[in-house]
Amino acid sequence: VKAVWFADGAVEVRDVPDPAPDSGDALVRVTRAGICGTDLALLEGYADFSGIPGHEFVGVVEQCPNEPDWEGRRVTAEINVGCGRCSWCERGVREHCEARAVVGLRGRPGAFASHVTVPVANLHPIPDGLEDDQAVFAEPMAAAFEILEQINIEPATRVAVVGDGKLGLVITMVLSFAGHRPTVFGRHSGKLELASHFGGLQPGDSGNDAFDVVIEATGRSSGIADALRRVRPRGTVVLKTTLPQSVDVDLTRVVVDEIRLVGSRCGPFPRALEALGSGRLEPKVLVEGVYPLSRAVDAFEHARSPGALKVLLDPSR
Amino acid sequence: VKAVWFADGAVEVRDVPDPAPDSGDALVRVTRAGICGTDLALLEGYADFSGIPGHEFVGVVEQCPNEPDWEGRRVTAEINVGCGRCSWCERGVREHCEARAVVGLRGRPGAFASHVTVPVANLHPIPDGLEDDQAVFAEPMAAAFEILEQINIEPATRVAVVGDGKLGLVITMVLSFAGHRPTVFGRHSGKLELASHFGGLQPGDSGNDAFDVVIEATGRSSGIADALRRVRPRGTVVLKTTLPQSVDVDLTRVVVDEIRLVGSRCGPFPRALEALGSGRLEPKVLVEGVYPLSRAVDAFEHARSPGALKVLLDPSR
């Protein structure tokens, strides 16, 4: 089968052996896959990755030996594959299993390929009528919903999103869906307009600069300083950016103003799919292009270009 | 009157004009004052400080025009002096008032002097029978109790304290007082023995390295990395260290493992004084020396020496 291959900072499309699902796995024919900021970070050296990336995807189950009812169904899947035995896995929190593999990120081939295997336990059916170009946002939207699982946002809570890239905009969409009105800070007027379209406020609308909650989604090492500048004493900064290197942080500001920093990663797929299924969310307006797998090199070039929003791959072509 | 004076990294004892209390102030004759890590940081350039430092103290009220009942009473005092008008001050949280002065740290002369003035509202009476050498720990003990105001520690919570200096040991004492058994990490066997005396556990006793809560009290820029190494996924790191410079932090670890960092500063004096008044705490075993004010230069030299614990000044001499 054809697959995207990352090695030493370069992208190529190559033939790889057919995936061989284990007994607990499903073999999924991928119909859409999204290029994420983390994929671009992998290319820059994050996590010393080489292999097949891709962790946001939609497809159709082709084989599922243990639970054949899944065969033929349209699915997306959670990407953390736990050991199944540790205390995290026992509580169903496989995303923190120390021995976990992560599809397209660690120890398991990803979805930038015609087929991918994932454990049956990771599958989620896609609501009828939800098109692939929306459903492919389930993973990043789940990551955005994670914020609402971690911290308490009340109607009166003043929330800011720092970063108007694709993750910042997905977070804006999810917060608005949950009834909040985040103020969005970014550097691109077109994207800030999109943020408004999704229910975000412009900085000028919101009165002052001291927010109760600031969500850092810039993807840049300068993001934390931006976020700390905008949070009030005893406020909370939610961190979403992963970077290949450590970052200089004014921890004295954190101590003196008793700020809370909360790292935030993967989230609840059911909540994301329910929100997408409601029809009230339109993440596909973020899609700037859909490339056949054979043109993956161009797709990554597009995704890496300054200010690019969502770029999808269509591995059927 | 005589006072310690910091300027350009140097310590001297000089004559200063008599303090002139405002109408809402009390004039306190200082009987004991403690040298804190923050005072040493001021000498290194933290907060661009010059003037009279000193924010841990005990004394006797000599004048209190507005509330003369205080005159003659033995007191300690909270150090944050708010504007009295902002929303923080309205809620009684003057330690986060943006316009606050802080005794011995910002905009108000400190207690390394024969006399200090503080607002009457900041005074706390010292329980009868509690000696000055214990009561002078009210401020750092309040800062340790702040941790218990900020985060929830259950009986089963596995807690570590990173740092066996005076702050780490005071925190150990307070956590033990509250019924917890923190594991204490440090570099000095003598201090780790003190930690055990205060109810702390040795690292060897505690099984493994992944703590639910890690309290960073090293006073060093390497402390955050130490703390992150010892906390479990989704665990909490409480930050107590203030430094003159920013610090390199592995924020990707924070994001991937969804760790919470909580900055922690000043705390509740009533809780600290109640604990001290119970007689169950003996912070004075941390006192390595009591110097007359005239020998303040020697006192600071002692306090700065590697591994030093608490050094007190006696401004009556």
Side-chain angles (χ1 to χ4, degrees), chain B residues 42-104:
Chain B
L42 295 179
L43 272 178
E44 311 262 320
Y46 173 55
D48 282 327
F49 181 89
S50 70
I52 305 173
H55 58 273
E56 304 177 357
F57 67 97
V58 177
V60 176
V61 178
E62 284 200 343
Q63 291 175 30
C64 191
N66 273 12
E67 300 187 31
D69 284 356
W70 280 102
E71 289 174 9
R73 292 185 75 177
R74 214 156 54 100
V75 296
T76 182
E78 296 186 48
I79 61 179
N80 293 279
V81 181
C83 70
R85 289 176 305 273
C86 71
S87 63
W88 289 106
C89 287
E90 272 167 22
R91 283 177 287 154
V93 190
R94 51 197 163 206
E95 61 267 36
H96 288 297
C97 165
E98 249 186 88
R100 71 185 176 275
V102 187
V103 175

Side-chain angles (χ1 to χ4, degrees), chain B residues 15-50:
Chain B
D15 284 304
V16 297
D18 284 359
D22 281 347
S23 67
D25 283 347
L27 177 70
V28 178
R29 176 172 54 78
V30 183
T31 54
R32 279 289 186 281
I35 297 175
C36 159
T38 307
D39 298 316
L40 303 176
L42 295 179
L43 272 178
E44 311 262 320
Y46 173 55
D48 282 327
F49 181 89
S50 70

Side-chain angles (χ1 to χ4, degrees), chain A residues 94-307:
Chain A
R94 50 197 161 206
E95 60 269 34
H96 287 298
C97 165
E98 248 187 89
R100 70 187 177 275
V102 187
V103 175
L105 286 163
R106 177 154 93 181
R108 277 192 88 110
F112 294 157
S114 65
H115 291 76
V116 65
T117 66
V118 286
V120 186
N122 287 43
L123 296 178
H124 290 275
I126 294 192
D128 289 340
L130 182 64
E131 33 177 332
D132 280 6
D133 287 354
Q134 309 270 29
V136 74
F137 285 88
E139 199 278 337
M141 293 191 73
F145 273 109
E146 179 72 355
I147 297 165
L148 300 174
E149 307 267 321
Q150 293 179 291
I151 65 169
N152 189 30
I153 303 183
E154 307 277 356
T157 307
R158 300 186 67 252
V159 185
V161 175
V162 179
D164 59 358
K166 43 195 179 297
L167 182 55
L169 292 171
V170 166
I171 290 168
T172 300
M173 199 180 319
V174 163
L175 291 173
S176 301
F177 178 83
H180 310 298
R181 297 293 314 267
T183 298
V184 183
F185 293 88
R187 305 189 298 188
H188 308 86
S189 60
K191 293 187 188 175
L192 291 173
E193 271 171 43
L194 262 178
S196 298
H197 171 74
F198 291 143
L201 298 172
Q202 305 281 335
D205 304 342
S206 51
N208 75 62
D209 269 344
F211 289 87
D212 302 312
V213 171
V214 177
I215 297 157
E216 195 288 291
T218 63
R220 292 190 305 275
S221 58
S222 58
I224 178 72
D226 269 7
L228 286 176
R229 217 175 355 257
R230 301 198 191 284
V231 72
R232 68 162 170 83
R234 291 197 177 160
T236 298
V237 174
V238 177
L239 301 173
K240 277 291 188 188
T241 295
T242 49
L243 292 163
Q245 71 288 343
S246 291
V247 174
D248 212 41
V249 183
D250 181 359
L251 289 183
T252 296
R253 167 84 214 283
V254 174
V255 172
V256 169
D257 286 338
E258 298 194 311
I259 292 164
R260 288 172 187 248
L261 305 181
V262 180
S264 181
R265 190 168 45 109
C266 297
F269 271 59
R271 232 175 139 176
L273 286 164
E274 192 187 326
L276 284 164
S278 77
R280 285 170 50 207
L281 295 173
E282 288 275 327
K284 83 168 184 181
V285 304
L286 298 175
V287 175
E288 284 189 354
V290 183
Y291 290 75
L293 192 69
S294 58
R295 287 188 58 213
V297 173
D298 296 333
F300 279 90
E301 195 158 321
H302 183 166
R304 292 167 92 163
S305 63

Side-chain angles (χ1 to χ4, degrees), chain A residues 4-87:
Chain A
V4 172
W5 191 270
F6 279 8
D8 302 321
V11 182
E12 60 168 336
V13 179
R14 59 158 77 163
D15 285 304
V16 297
D18 284 0
D22 280 347
S23 66
D25 282 348
L27 178 70
V28 178
R29 176 171 54 78
V30 182
T31 55
R32 279 288 186 283
I35 296 175
C36 160
T38 306
D39 299 316
L40 304 177
L42 295 179
L43 272 177
E44 310 264 321
Y46 173 56
D48 282 326
F49 181 89
S50 69
I52 306 172
H55 58 274
E56 303 177 359
F57 68 97
V58 176
V60 176
V61 178
E62 283 199 343
Q63 292 173 29
C64 191
N66 275 13
E67 300 187 30
D69 284 357
W70 281 102
E71 288 173 11
R73 292 184 77 177
R74 210 156 57 98
V75 295
T76 183
E78 295 185 50
I79 61 179
N80 292 280
V81 182
C83 70
R85 290 177 305 275
C86 70
S87 63

